[in-house]
Amino acid sequence: MLKIIISIIMVTFIWGYLWVPMKIGLNYMPPFLFTALRLLIGAIPLFIVQAVRKTKLFPKKADWGKLIIMSTLMCLGYYGLSTFVMQFVSSGLSSVLVYTMPIIISVPAHYFLNERLTAKKTTGFVIGAIGLFLIIGPQIKHLSFDRTVLGEDLIVLAAFFWACA
């Protein structure tokens, strides 16, 4: 059990910290170029692994439509939009807001994936929604719709694209 807890803590810190290099990288290049390079650099080891394992490099023709939809949702909708938003919102707030994806996906999963909303899931959904409101609420309360609020809304939209994918 301790090993699991330590693993969860490590993943939390690593995934949370990844937003800092993104914010720094935006000082040197535009957001969509940064995202494209990030995904390309990540794809190269995957292609090498496929070549070493001698598996097919490209999918079957029947799978291309689904892959294009998934790629658009993930690469443009999630990665591209979340990197773009980093220009307006702090890296810490971005990482918190984009990980609202489990809150966002809980309702569609109930209807499309037959994952029933149990009492525990509903409680988690409500607590998460309250937390999200506490983060975004002060700006909405004062109607100070500036670039930060737009960024917060767009990062939640990026989480929505991630949930759709």
Side-chain angles (χ1 to χ4, degrees):
M1 184 67 166
L2 181 62
K3 187 176 179 180
I4 293 171
I5 292 171
I6 291 171
S7 298
I8 291 171
I9 291 170
M10 286 177 54
V11 166
T12 301
F13 279 112
I14 291 168
W15 282 356
Y17 184 75
L18 287 175
W19 292 84
V20 174
M22 280 194 331
K23 187 75 167 187
I24 293 169
L26 290 176
N27 291 322
Y28 302 100
M29 66 184 75
F32 292 106
L33 175 61
F34 183 88
T35 300
L37 290 174
R38 175 182 172 197
L39 294 172
L40 177 66
I41 291 168
I44 291 169
L46 295 175
F47 282 122
I48 292 170
V49 168
Q50 283 186 291
V52 168
R53 293 179 66 195
K54 296 180 179 155
T55 57
K56 289 180 67 174
L57 213 50
F58 295 101
K60 295 180 251 173
K61 286 185 180 184
D63 295 332
W64 276 99
K66 294 174 189 173
L67 286 172
I68 289 171
I69 292 169
M70 177 70 82
S71 297
T72 302
L73 290 169
M74 285 299 293
C75 296
L76 288 176
Y78 170 61
Y79 288 118
L81 189 58
S82 61
T83 305
F84 173 76
V85 168
M86 294 285 291
Q87 301 173 99
F88 312 114
V89 181
S90 72
S91 58
L93 183 58
S94 295
S95 68
V96 169
L97 291 177
V98 84
Y99 289 112
T100 58
M101 184 275 291
I103 299 168
I104 295 168
I105 199 169
S106 62
V107 174
H110 174 78
Y111 293 104
F112 298 112
L113 302 176
N114 293 324
E115 292 185 13
R116 297 292 157 228
L117 280 172
T118 63
K120 284 183 182 180
K121 289 179 184 178
T122 303
T123 302
F125 176 81
V126 169
I127 291 170
I130 290 169
L132 182 60
F133 181 75
L134 290 174
I135 292 170
I136 299 177
Q139 288 93 346
I140 294 172
K141 180 181 174 187
H142 294 95
L143 295 175
S144 61
F145 291 101
D146 55 6
R147 290 171 53 145
T148 303
V149 174
L150 174 64
E152 291 171 355
D153 293 342
L154 289 176
I155 199 74
V156 173
L157 180 62
F160 173 78
F161 286 131
W162 184 17
C164 289

